[in-house]
């Protein structure tokens, strides 16, 4: 180190862990603790498989402290406790390679003040990023997470936005690239390619790349200082750190105007093909690209910088993608919400990319609910409500407007509170409310929920039916059982539940064996009562074979049933007698039939024959009022609370909103399909009819979309606490009393089959807010 210092160089010591014995760690720790020389830098490397004493390794890294440069630990089997301790305390290295580590939830909350490169490739257990996982990494510039299981656009972007220096990001890589920087083949391809149908003017962005150092025959990340693109980003205006949604709305939401000025949508799904030739002169010198030329006359001029032309000319081949890369408009989403990012998936981000990303984002996503453009705190919204101020937020001023009664609806402040709550975090709370079933049955078995319904007038009550035919009424706010109705005999799953509106203590339950019963929860057994007792208030109806759905009309006098058949039956709710049985209403089984919310004679049926049909009991239902078709088999349908719309859900994420009056298409939510014919999708309204939630049985995600525009507001991913698997959506409902509150029936097959009801809501919540 002293010799190197005389020639103004630092000494680098490489410690190869696979060549050390456990006894070697202690003298190494003593040496580094005794010598505080900053002229020494240390690389800790791992070449071949070996068994490590993880406590000794952590002690060594602590002793080296700020002299630690590279920690290269691919394929090291860290224990969960060792990783948790390491992440909570932090590390002083500059490059950290944890490739192929067993990490499930990334929560690096310790101090990683010097790290500029982090490699988490092939951490196949990594499913999500925690809220504060990057808050102590102010200098992290390069991050790679190829072939992880990260999938949530919203939580991922929110976590990454806390990295002020992030310039290069990767969830998939170009086949020829080993680091996170722009592909080295791009400029050579650009120099030899021809670009069509536009003039190309060189941008001011420069990309500087250095040769990667090779350590013991292994390629690592670029460990040099800040690149030119990072320096350019650092010198940019600070306002770029905030996503200017007002500018998005004002400048690029009008797609016709975008077409006039010649914007092309360079999405992650397809690259544009340009036809008319142009004569171009391309020069690449010192990392800066200059392009000049003329093009055949046309109305618009397209300006390209070097990165834009590069993306057009290069055929990108994805390698080791994470699931997030398959989300629709993934690239545009990341570019729009991470304005300082310079390179994404080895493709540089140019000016046109940013403009296009803002256009695509404003067209397909909502930044905040109810068209809010700026995040507000719940406290400020409450202060404005108390003082009578307007909740409108000005772009360049935080001063409140004067009190005014104009332009404020009865929902103004409740919607502002919703937007403030939802915007406060991208990580909603997931609270299993069926855990009240920890009070087991006589043989030690737990209650297993199969269907559930919120109470229509009591905000604290919910009923759920079990796989064994029981009906349980719970207070989901307090987490206790209110009433318990045992199985009526043979254990059959409860598939249909419906509360009566005019008689709020009565609950209708239908089983898959065809039995249909009306219960009064005021006479329900206390928990642990005699299971052989039968309530005198129970009304039994004629069986309906293959039952899957029950529903009561708005007058509480008739019941509608359907099932895995072509039949629909109507029952008298007082006598239990079947009034009508309609056959062959569809060509395939009718999974769901629903009455309208306000007209007792109007109902709708959805069938696997791809059709949804509206019927009127006042006319003999030989011909429907109208029929609307889907491209796949329909799983369910429901009316909006005001009966203006129908929400239709077909197999594999085909979700549409129709006008209830005639079945015309109003909104197509354009949710990406999985290709599975067994991915049964269900959707419901929340916040009245303002938003919808949708989930499918082969996917662990709840999608929240604006009902009028179809724009995606947020995705919520489910993950079991007691297992390492994801939870899959079997059914879901919106809370009728609280905006953006919902519950989902989720199933998990690992390590053992488990069904539970999970309540989903914002972190800042109050039962009286919305």
């Amino acid at each position: 180190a002293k010799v190197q210092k005389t020639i103004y160089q630092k000494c680098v010591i490489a410690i190869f862990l696979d060549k050390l014995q456990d006894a070697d760690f202690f003298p190494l720790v003593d040496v580094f603790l005794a010598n505080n020389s900053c002229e020494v830098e240390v690389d800790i490397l791992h070449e071949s498989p070996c068994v490590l004493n993880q406590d000794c390794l952590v002690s060594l890294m602590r002793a080296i402290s700020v002299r630690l440069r590279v920690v290269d630990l691919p394929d090291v089997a860290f224990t969960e406790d060792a990783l948790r301790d390491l992440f909570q305390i932090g590390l002083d290295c500059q490059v950290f390679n944890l490739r192929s580590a067993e990490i499930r939830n990334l929560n690096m909350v310790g101090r990683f003040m010097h790290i500029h490169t982090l490699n988490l490739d092939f951490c196949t257990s990594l499913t999500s990023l925690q809220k504060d996982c990057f808050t102590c990494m102010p200098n992290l510039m390069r991050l790679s997470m190829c072939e992880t299981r990260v999938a949530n656009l919203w939580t991922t972007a929110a976590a990454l936005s806390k990295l002020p220096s992030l310039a290069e990001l990767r969830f998939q890589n170009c086949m020829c690239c080993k680091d996170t920087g722009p592909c080295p083949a791009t400029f050579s391809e650009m120099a030899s390619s021809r670009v069509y149908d536009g003039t190309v003017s060189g941008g001011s962005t420069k990309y500087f790349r250095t040769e990667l150092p090779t350590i013991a025959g292994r390629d690592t990340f670029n460990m040099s200082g800040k690149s030119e693109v990072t320096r350019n980003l650092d010198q940019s205006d600070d306002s770029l750190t905030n996503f200017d949604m007002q500018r998005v709305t004002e400048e690029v939401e009008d797609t016709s105007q975008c077409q006039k000025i010649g914007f092309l949508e360079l999405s992650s799904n397809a690259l544009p093909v340009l036809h008319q030739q142009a004569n171009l002169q391309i020069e690449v010198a010192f990392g800066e690209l200059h392009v000049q030329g003329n093009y055949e006359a046309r109305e618009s001029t397209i300006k390209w910088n070097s990165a834009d032309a590069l993306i057009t000319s290069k055929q990108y081949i994805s390698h080791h993608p994470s699931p997030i890369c398959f989300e629709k408009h993934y690239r545009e989403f990341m570019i729009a919400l991470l304005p300082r990012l310079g390179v994404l998936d080895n493709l540089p981000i140019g000016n046109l990319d940013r403009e296009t990303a803002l256009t695509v984002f404003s067209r397909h996503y909502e930044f905040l609910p109810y068209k809010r453009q700026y995040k507000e705190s719940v406290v400020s919204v409450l202060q404005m409500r108390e003082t009578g101020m307007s909740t409108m937020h000005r772009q360049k001023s935080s001063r409140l407007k004067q009190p005014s009664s104009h332009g404020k609806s009865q929902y103004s402040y409740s919607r502002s509170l919703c937007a403030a709550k939802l915007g406060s975090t991208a990580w909603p709370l997931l609270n299993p409310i069926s855990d009240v079933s920890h009070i087991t049955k006589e043989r030690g078995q737990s209650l297993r929920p199969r269907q559930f319904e919120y109470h229509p007038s009591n905000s604290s009550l919910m009923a759920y039916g079990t796989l064994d035919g029981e009906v349980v009424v719970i207070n989901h706010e307090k987490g206790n059982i209110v009433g318990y109705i045992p199985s009526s005999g043979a254990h059959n799953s409860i598939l249909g539940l419906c509360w009566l509106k005019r008689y709020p203590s009565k609950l209708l339950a239908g089983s898959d064996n065809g039995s249909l019963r009306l219960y009064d929860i005021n006479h329900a057994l206390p928990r642990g009562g005699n299971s052989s007792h039968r309530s005198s208030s129970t009304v039994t109806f004629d069986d309906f074979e293959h039952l899957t759905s029950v529903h009561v009309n708005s007058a509480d006098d008739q019941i509608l049933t359907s099932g895995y058949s072509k039949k629909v039956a109507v029952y008298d709710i007082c006598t239990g007698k079947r009034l009508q049985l309609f056959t062959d209403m569809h060509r395939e089984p009718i999974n769901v039939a629903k009455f309208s919310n306000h007209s007792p004679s109007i109902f709708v049926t959805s069938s696997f024959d791809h059709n949804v049909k509206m019927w009127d009991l006042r006319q003999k239902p030989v011909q429907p009022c109208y029929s609307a078709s889907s491209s796949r088999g329909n799983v369910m349908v429901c009316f909006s609370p005001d009966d203006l719309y129908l929400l239709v859900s077909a197999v594999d994420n085909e979700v549409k909103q129709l006008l209830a009056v005639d079945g015309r298409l109003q909104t197509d939510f354009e949710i990406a399909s999985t290709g599975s014919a067994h991915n049964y999708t269900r959707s419901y309204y929340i916040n009245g009819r303002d938003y919808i939630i949708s989930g499918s049985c082969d996917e662990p995600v709840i999608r929240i979309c604006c009902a009028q525009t179809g724009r995606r507001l947020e995705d919520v991913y489910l993950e079991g606490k007691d297992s390492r698997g994801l939870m899959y959506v079997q059914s879901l409902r919106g809370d009728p009393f609280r905006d953006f509150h919902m519950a989902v029936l989720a199933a998990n097959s690992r390590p053992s089959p488990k069904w539970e009801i999970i309540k989903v809501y914002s972190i800042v919540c109050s039962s009286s807010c919305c």
Side-chain angles (χ1 to χ4, degrees):
K2 291 180 180 179
V3 172
Q4 294 292 90
K5 183 178 180 180
T6 60
I7 58 175
Y8 303 101
Q9 292 184 1
K10 288 187 177 182
C11 175
V12 179
I13 297 177
I15 300 176
F16 294 90
L17 296 177
D18 49 315
K19 298 181 179 181
L20 294 182
Q21 302 295 327
D22 286 352
D24 297 327
F25 282 95
F26 299 105
L28 280 173
V29 170
D30 293 339
V31 167
F32 286 111
L33 287 176
N35 190 329
N36 296 322
S37 173
C38 294
E39 285 77 26
V40 177
E41 291 185 338
V42 183
D43 295 343
I44 295 181
L45 309 174
H46 171 65
E47 283 190 309
S48 57
C50 63
V51 178
L52 296 176
N53 186 319
Q54 296 179 13
D55 292 335
C56 291
L57 174 59
V58 173
S59 298
L60 176 60
M61 291 189 293
R62 298 274 181 260
I64 298 171
S65 187
V66 295
R67 293 162 294 186
L68 194 58
R69 189 180 70 155
V70 176
V71 177
D72 188 38
L73 302 175
D75 306 307
V76 173
F78 280 101
T79 64
E80 188 173 341
D81 292 338
L83 272 179
R84 183 175 60 251
D85 293 342
L86 184 62
F87 289 167
Q88 287 181 351
I89 298 174
L91 207 58
D92 290 316
C93 65
Q94 301 174 38
V95 176
F96 198 9
N97 181 6
L98 277 174
R99 179 184 171 110
S100 302
E102 288 291 327
I103 306 171
R104 186 182 176 202
N105 292 317
L106 191 66
N107 197 20
M108 301 176 73
V109 296
R111 290 176 61 85
F112 293 87
M113 304 302 292
H114 303 289
I115 188 171
H116 60 69
T117 299
L118 178 61
N119 185 351
L120 298 172
D121 290 345
F122 302 102
C123 295
T124 53
S125 298
L126 179 58
T127 58
S128 60
L129 306 181
Q130 298 301 307
K131 179 174 60 174
D132 299 321
C133 65
F134 293 129
T135 53
C136 295
M137 297 184 186
N139 297 306
L140 186 66
M141 295 187 293
R142 305 175 189 90
L143 176 62
S144 186
M145 289 189 283
C146 298
E147 206 163 302
T148 62
R149 293 173 60 196
V150 174
N152 192 328
L153 285 171
W154 285 262
T155 56
T156 302
L160 294 174
S161 66
K162 298 182 179 181
L163 292 170
S165 302
L166 185 65
E168 299 174 1
L169 174 65
R170 214 169 55 164
F171 286 99
Q172 59 188 336
N173 64 287
C174 178
M175 188 172 291
C176 62
C177 296
K178 295 183 179 179
D179 72 336
T180 58
C183 178
T186 53
F187 290 112
S188 59
E189 285 191 16
M190 184 59 197
S192 60
S193 66
R194 297 180 65 85
V195 182
Y196 304 102
D197 201 20
T199 55
V200 184
S201 59
S204 60
T205 304
K206 301 180 183 179
Y207 292 96
F208 173 74
R209 291 178 55 84
T210 61
E211 292 297 326
L212 296 178
T214 301
I215 301 177
R218 310 174 64 166
D219 289 324
T220 65
F221 281 106
N222 184 352
M223 293 178 288
S224 62
K226 285 192 175 182
S227 63
E228 187 72 23
V229 62
T230 309
R231 287 194 289 270
N232 288 340
L233 288 170
D234 289 341
Q235 295 167 3
S236 62
D237 188 85
D238 289 339
S239 62
L240 287 176
T241 59
N242 297 319
F243 185 51
D244 191 349
M245 288 304 300
Q246 184 67 25
R247 187 172 70 87
V248 176
T249 304
E250 293 176 354
E251 295 184 8
V252 299
E253 192 167 11
D254 185 354
T255 56
S256 62
Q257 181 66 19
C258 294
Q259 294 172 357
K260 290 179 183 178
I261 63 176
F263 283 172
L264 293 179
E265 181 175 334
L266 300 180
S267 70
S268 55
N269 302 321
L271 296 178
V273 178
L274 307 177
H275 301 289
Q276 296 182 4
Q277 291 192 355
N279 298 320
L280 300 177
Q281 296 176 353
I282 302 174
E283 178 184 359
V284 180
F286 302 103
E288 188 169 2
L289 183 67
H290 302 277
V291 186
Q292 297 177 345
N294 297 318
Y295 68 101
E296 296 182 10
R298 57 175 297 180
E299 292 181 0
S300 61
T301 299
I302 306 174
K303 293 185 177 181
W304 303 73
N305 65 15
S306 57
D308 303 324
L310 175 150
I311 295 174
T312 306
S313 65
K314 186 179 190 309
Q315 181 62 41
Y316 184 84
I317 301 176
S318 173
H319 205 45
H320 302 302
S322 296
I324 195 171
C325 303
F326 298 100
E327 291 294 320
K328 199 170 185 179
H329 308 299
Y330 143 77
R331 181 173 174 84
E332 293 81 5
F333 188 97
M334 286 296 175
I335 293 173
L337 293 186
L338 301 174
R340 287 186 178 272
L341 199 62
V343 181
L344 178 60
D345 299 333
N346 297 125
L347 289 177
I349 299 169
N351 295 334
L352 183 59
D353 293 319
R354 299 191 190 281
E355 293 170 348
T356 303
L358 294 177
T359 305
V360 172
F361 188 95
S362 67
R363 187 185 307 155
H364 297 281
Y365 300 98
E366 279 197 354
F367 181 59
L368 288 172
Y370 295 108
K371 299 181 180 179
R372 262 54 179 188
Q373 306 301 329
Y374 295 94
K375 292 185 178 181
E376 299 174 280
S377 71
V378 173
V379 174
S380 66
V381 174
L382 292 174
Q383 286 177 340
M384 286 185 282
R385 182 176 67 177
E386 295 302 317
T387 57
M389 300 291 184
S390 171
T391 60
M392 296 301 293
H393 186 85
R394 292 290 184 184
Q395 179 178 357
K396 297 183 179 180
S397 174
S398 60
R399 293 178 301 177
L400 302 180
K401 295 177 66 176
Q402 296 299 318
S404 172
S405 59
H406 299 289
K408 291 194 299 183
S409 70
Q410 58 179 325
Y411 305 110
S412 174
Y413 287 105
S414 65
R415 290 177 175 178
S416 297
L417 283 170
C418 288
K421 287 163 48 182
L422 202 67
S424 64
T425 179
W427 291 265
L429 285 181
L430 305 179
N431 180 30
I433 58 177
S434 55
D435 279 354
V436 295
S437 62
H438 69 274
I439 305 176
T440 56
K441 295 182 288 186
E442 294 177 358
R443 298 182 180 179
Q445 298 175 338
S446 298
L447 299 171
R448 301 181 298 166
R450 177 58 185 87
Q451 188 58 278
F452 72 97
E453 289 288 347
Y454 283 100
H455 196 282
S457 58
N458 190 327
S459 63
S460 64
L461 293 185
M462 173 190 289
Y464 71 85
T466 72
L467 291 166
D468 299 317
E470 302 139 315
V471 177
V472 184
V473 181
I474 62 174
N475 185 320
H476 63 85
E477 293 177 349
K478 297 180 179 179
N480 62 290
I481 293 180
V482 175
Y484 171 76
I485 302 169
S487 175
S488 58
H491 290 179
N492 293 281
S493 298
I494 301 292
L495 297 184
L497 288 171
C498 188
W499 291 94
L500 272 63
K501 301 178 183 64
R502 299 187 178 184
Y503 307 96
S505 66
K506 293 188 177 182
L507 174 67
L508 182 69
S511 303
D512 58 2
N513 67 344
S515 65
L516 188 65
R517 287 175 172 80
L518 182 67
Y519 301 102
D520 191 329
I521 63 172
N522 289 334
H523 299 277
L525 294 172
R527 193 66 183 90
N530 185 0
S531 61
S532 63
H533 176 73
R534 185 73 57 83
S535 172
S536 60
S537 61
T538 300
V539 179
T540 302
F541 299 81
D542 297 337
D543 288 351
F544 182 88
E545 61 180 4
H546 307 301
L547 183 147
T548 60
S549 171
V550 298
H551 200 238
V552 181
N553 69 356
S554 59
D556 281 351
D557 59 2
Q558 292 184 346
I559 299 171
L560 185 68
T561 64
S562 64
Y564 201 74
S565 68
K566 302 175 185 178
K567 301 176 183 178
V568 171
V570 178
Y571 294 83
D572 182 88
I573 203 166
C574 296
T575 64
K577 299 298 182 181
R578 187 164 61 195
L579 301 177
Q580 300 181 75
L581 179 64
F582 308 114
T583 59
D584 299 322
M585 301 185 82
H586 287 267
R587 300 187 306 275
E588 297 291 338
I590 303 167
N591 190 52
V592 169
K594 295 278 187 182
F595 276 115
S596 72
N597 295 305
H598 300 283
S599 177
S601 61
I602 300 294
F603 70 95
V604 64
T605 55
S606 65
S607 168
F608 288 107
D609 68 359
H610 299 198
N611 291 318
V612 169
K613 296 181 179 181
M614 181 80 76
W615 308 87
D616 191 340
L617 288 175
R618 292 169 297 188
Q619 304 173 1
K620 189 175 181 180
V622 177
Q623 294 293 331
C625 302
Y626 64 80
S627 178
S629 297
S630 303
S631 63
R632 305 182 183 97
N634 291 308
V635 179
M636 67 158 296
V637 63
C638 66
F639 284 87
S640 63
D642 55 8
D643 288 340
L644 289 181
Y645 301 102
L646 293 176
L647 186 60
V648 182
S649 305
V651 172
D652 203 17
N653 294 328
E654 184 178 341
V655 182
K656 297 179 180 180
Q657 181 172 256
L658 311 179
L659 292 172
V661 65
D662 55 11
R664 284 180 296 165
L665 177 65
Q666 196 272 339
T667 308
D668 187 345
F669 295 96
E670 298 182 347
I671 301 174
S673 61
T674 65
S676 170
H678 304 286
N679 190 30
Y680 299 110
T681 302
R682 295 169 176 85
S683 306
Y684 285 88
Y685 286 96
I686 61 172
N687 298 24
R689 62 172 173 84
D690 296 339
Y691 288 85
I692 66 110
I693 53 175
S694 181
S696 301
C697 65
D698 282 351
E699 298 177 273
V701 57
I702 305 169
R703 300 175 175 91
I704 307 175
C705 303
C706 176
Q708 296 304 310
T709 64
R711 294 175 180 171
R712 190 85 60 86
L713 177 63
E714 191 174 337
D715 286 357
V716 178
Y717 278 75
L718 306 176
E719 194 168 357
K721 293 183 178 180
D722 301 329
S723 67
R724 302 188 69 85
L726 297 174
M727 306 292 290
Y728 298 95
V729 179
Q730 298 298 314
S731 186
L732 71 170
R733 300 288 189 278
D735 190 322
F737 300 97
R738 303 166 183 86
D739 288 348
F740 295 115
H741 284 50
M742 66 201 76
V744 55
L745 176 65
N748 192 336
S749 59
R750 294 186 301 170
S752 60
K754 181 179 180 181
W755 296 55
E756 62 180 328
I757 301 172
I758 300 174
K759 188 157 62 172
V760 182
Y761 49 91
S762 302
I763 284 183
V764 183
C765 63
S766 169
S767 60
S768 61
C769 279
C770 304

